[in-house]
Amino acid sequence: AANTVGHPQTDHLRTMALAELAADFAVRTLAPGGAFVAKVFQGGADKSLLTLLKQQFATVKHVKPPASRKGSPELYVLAQGFKGRAPDAE
């Protein structure tokens, strides 16, 4: 995860950039049926990440573990059931 600086918008954008890079890597390397999880912060800039994941995985959801503080903006994006790459994409 990116080091946080205490500015919520900056922290959100930096974390989303890392999550998007990780998702791109996952789509290029996962075997069919694989899963992807990333920690993100609530903030509204996750639409492109969710769009990519929903195209590539059977299920995509946000989860907040019980250990996460109630007021914390952290969430986890959980994508399961990777559909696989097109043969010409390999």
Side-chain angles (χ1 to χ4, degrees), residues 16 20 44-53:
M16 289 309 303
E20 288 171 355
D46 60 352
K47 185 177 181 184
S48 62
L49 175 63
L50 292 177
T51 298
L52 169 71
L53 294 175

Side-chain angles (χ1 to χ4, degrees), residues 63-77:
V63 294
K64 187 163 179 88
S68 180
R69 291 173 295 149
K70 190 169 248 179
S72 172
E74 73 180 9
L75 291 172
Y76 291 82
V77 175

Side-chain angles (χ1 to χ4, degrees), residues 3 9 11-12 16 18 26-27 29-31 34 44-45 47 53-54 60 63-64 66 71 73 77 80 84 88:
N3 290 332
Q9 292 85 3
D11 292 341
H12 172 73
M16 289 309 303
L18 285 175
V27 166
T29 59
L30 274 176
K47 185 177 181 184
L53 294 175
K54 287 178 180 179
V60 178
V63 294
K64 187 163 179 88
V77 175
Q80 297 174 296
D88 61 350

